[in-house]
Amino acid sequence: MNENKRRLCGILPVLGALCLAVLLAFPAPTLADADSVKGKTFTVTTDTTFAPFEYRDSNGELVGIDMDLIRAIAKEEGFDVKIESLGFNAAMVATQSGNSDMTIAGASITDERKQTYDFSDPYFDSGVLMAVPESSDITGYQDLSGKTVAVKTGTEGEAFAKSIAEKYGFKTISVDQTSTMVQMLQAGQADAMFDDYPIVAYGIEQGNGMKAVTEKEAGNSYGAVVAKGKNQDLLQAFNEGLAKLKANGTYDQIMEKYLGNNAVKAEQPSFVGLLQQSAPALLTGVKNTLLVTVVAFAGALVLGIIFGLFKIAHNRILRGLASFYVWLFRGTPLLIWAFFFYFALPQVVGVKLSVFAVGALALALNAGAYITEIVRGAIQSVDTGQTEAARSLGCSAGLTLRSIVLPQAAKIATPSLINQLIIMVKDSSILLAIGFGELLYQAQQIYAANLRVSEVLFIVALFYLVTISLLTMLANWATRRFSE
């Protein structure tokens, strides 16, 4: 007996040491603490055009159910939010990559998304409706045989439409915005559309010329989103704030404001009134477009000159490097690089760039590849006899290049460089995919609220024409002064 006690006493310290080692190696998980968010500022990304959940009013302010909810919850829980509107897919990727802390954009809670994201408690129960033009004789799914149905990418409406497409004999076309679907129906390019019922109801209330012809199909609920295992304190604070809003009546007030009988309705001014109303936001878009284009063009010019000289160098390594650069950036879409620098770079190397920096960098690298060939072609267009004459007079290769070849090449290249500058102004519209507030992005914000897509895009076309015409005149004037 005494011997057993002695053995037990000898084992206990060893077991204790092992338990301590295990506890130190695998510490107990810390519980999310909603109070820890107080006083902090979080970046929250959202969609650009998803009325009535998020859209811009006539003053350019981002409003809607989601916007009012997150702001009210932040106030209730004592934290601040910085809201960035990127578009649904870009917003979700931004949260996954760590560029934002949370996304609230009418995201349906699905098992597939739960593998990548953590969802808040549901804040809205959705569903799917089918809408057709007011003049259409379609009354239900049974009338869709041989028809074309517009759906929005990544939504419940798309999933539901595709699940019944074979049964009812129709084909689907996926687009990125509700406003695009409405335009397709109005232009006769599609016969019906499926979308979340509050979106359809809002559009009909705004007078978009559609009508709902089916009962609401049961759908998923909406939830706010954080990256899997990240920002759990913020998620808990959101849930606690949402519960408080439901208890004190604020939640019901927000829903009534946008979905009730007296819901907010966008103003419908005349075309001239629409132009006046849109002008401030579109002028901001012009300023942003020109700023990012000028910065990117300066960078592209430097890259083009360097790699253009590499292209004609005697060194095979330099020529190969220039050829690889041109091959890479001329052979890949600008949008891919914008996405890479904005979303992938933070995950790969931990470097976060502003949306302006990303836009300027992507534009510069893309345009630099084209300018490289412009510079190479201009240099090689200079009469070789002049080079030979200069060398025969004892000029070095460097002096000949600087004093004789490059000045003439610059004049030869100028028209092509002006064309490249104009192309960059228009290419900057691609940056709306990452939420850069250029001209076309501002237009989306406007027609998302009033659904007057054709008129707004016509106004945008006028802004582009005026802007590019003035820019061309300025560039031609600078060219003449340079040539004197």
Side-chain angles (χ1 to χ4, degrees):
M1 187 69 176
N2 291 334
E3 183 65 25
N4 290 335
K5 286 182 178 180
R6 282 196 301 270
R7 290 179 179 175
L8 182 60
C9 290
I11 293 173
L12 285 177
V14 177
L15 291 175
L18 288 173
C19 290
L20 179 60
V22 170
L23 289 173
L24 291 174
F26 303 99
T30 56
L31 296 176
D33 181 9
D35 290 336
S36 66
V37 306
K38 294 186 182 300
K40 294 183 180 180
T41 299
F42 296 95
T43 299
V44 177
T45 46
T46 188
D47 203 347
T48 55
T49 56
F50 195 56
F53 286 88
E54 42 265 342
Y55 64 97
R56 294 189 186 273
D57 61 15
S58 58
N59 297 319
E61 295 294 324
L62 200 56
V63 297
I65 294 173
D66 288 344
M67 300 299 94
D68 286 10
L69 272 179
I70 189 62
R71 288 169 180 147
I73 289 172
K75 182 178 180 181
E76 188 72 38
E77 296 299 304
F79 62 89
D80 295 317
V81 291
K82 176 187 176 185
I83 298 175
E84 297 179 355
S85 57
L86 302 180
F88 181 77
N89 292 324
M92 296 287 281
V93 173
T95 295
Q96 182 185 1
S97 66
N99 272 6
S100 75
D101 302 300
M102 173 178 279
T103 290
I104 181 167
S108 297
I109 303 174
T110 64
D111 292 335
E112 182 180 5
R113 286 177 179 162
K114 284 181 179 180
Q115 297 177 15
T116 308
Y117 303 98
D118 288 330
F119 281 88
S120 70
D121 293 338
Y123 66 83
F124 188 85
D125 294 325
S126 185
V128 176
L129 275 181
M130 184 176 80
V132 298
E134 290 179 341
S135 59
S136 175
D137 56 2
I138 295 175
T139 60
Y141 306 141
Q142 69 279 358
D143 299 324
L144 293 178
S145 180
K147 306 291 186 181
T148 299
V149 172
V151 295
K152 191 161 58 177
T153 304
T155 62
E156 286 187 84
E158 181 186 43
F160 177 75
K162 289 183 176 180
S163 71
I164 64 171
E166 185 176 351
K167 178 180 178 180
Y168 292 101
F170 62 86
K171 67 176 182 178
T172 61
I173 296 179
S174 297
V175 296
D176 62 339
Q177 296 178 12
T178 298
S179 54
T180 304
M181 293 194 291
V182 172
Q183 285 295 105
M184 291 177 68
L185 266 65
Q186 291 176 343
Q189 295 172 335
D191 303 289
M193 57 178 274
F194 285 86
D195 207 349
D196 293 4
Y197 89 87
I199 313 305
V200 174
Y202 175 84
I204 293 173
E205 181 66 22
Q206 301 301 316
N208 66 358
M210 299 294 116
K211 63 181 180 180
V213 293
T214 60
E215 296 295 324
K216 183 183 75 169
E217 300 286 347
N220 295 314
S221 299
Y222 293 165
V225 173
V226 298
K228 194 75 173 177
K230 306 293 184 181
N231 291 307
Q232 297 302 301
D233 292 348
L234 176 59
L235 195 64
Q236 183 176 335
F238 182 95
N239 290 337
E240 292 183 4
L242 178 63
K244 292 175 184 176
L245 295 187
K246 289 183 176 181
N248 63 28
T250 303
Y251 176 88
D252 292 332
Q253 293 173 12
I254 292 173
M255 294 301 161
E256 181 66 23
K257 176 181 177 181
Y258 293 100
L259 299 176
N261 294 328
N262 297 316
V264 176
K265 188 171 184 177
E267 299 177 15
Q268 299 295 337
S270 64
F271 179 80
V272 174
L274 179 62
L275 176 60
Q276 293 174 336
Q277 188 182 89
S278 306
L282 295 180
L283 287 173
T284 298
V286 170
K287 180 192 72 174
N288 292 338
T289 296
L290 291 178
L291 185 59
V292 75
T293 301
V294 169
V295 172
F297 184 73
L301 198 57
V302 172
L303 290 171
I305 292 173
I306 293 173
F307 285 107
L309 292 173
F310 283 2
K311 270 273 193 174
I312 61 169
H314 295 295
N315 189 304
R316 296 174 64 179
I317 296 177
L318 294 180
R319 292 202 309 271
L321 185 62
S323 296
F324 176 78
Y325 168 70
V326 172
W327 168 78
L328 180 63
F329 287 97
R330 199 167 64 172
T332 50
L334 170 62
L335 185 58
I336 287 180
W337 291 106
F339 278 156
F340 175 80
F341 292 132
Y342 194 65
F343 297 125
L345 207 59
Q347 299 181 74
V348 176
V349 296
V351 176
K352 293 183 180 180
L353 299 177
S354 68
V355 67
F356 179 87
V358 167
L361 180 60
L363 275 173
L365 288 170
N366 179 266
Y370 292 92
I371 293 178
T372 294
E373 291 298 331
I374 292 173
V375 171
R376 178 198 57 77
I379 291 174
Q380 292 180 337
S381 296
V382 176
D383 187 1
T384 56
Q386 299 186 44
T387 302
E388 294 171 355
R391 297 304 299 275
S392 67
L393 293 173
C395 296
S396 65
L399 179 61
T400 302
L401 182 65
R402 291 194 305 271
S403 302
I404 297 175
V405 177
L406 288 182
Q408 296 182 70
K411 292 182 180 180
I412 295 171
T414 297
S416 297
L417 292 176
I418 292 174
N419 285 338
Q420 186 60 44
L421 176 62
I422 293 171
I423 290 171
M424 290 177 69
V425 172
K426 294 182 287 187
D427 281 351
S428 66
S429 63
I430 294 174
L431 301 178
L432 68 86
I434 58 172
F436 180 68
E438 50 74 57
L439 185 52
L440 196 56
Y441 174 92
Q442 301 292 346
Q444 281 190 347
Q445 309 303 301
I446 295 169
Y447 66 61
N450 59 32
L451 301 176
R452 297 171 69 173
V453 182
S454 299
E455 294 165 281
V456 173
L457 289 180
F458 178 75
I459 293 172
V460 170
L462 293 178
F463 271 76
Y464 268 116
L465 282 171
V466 172
T467 300
I468 291 176
S469 297
L470 292 175
L471 192 61
T472 303
M473 291 170 60
L474 178 62
N476 288 334
W477 173 82
T479 302
R480 288 193 298 270
R481 291 296 300 270
F482 175 72
S483 300
E484 290 177 357

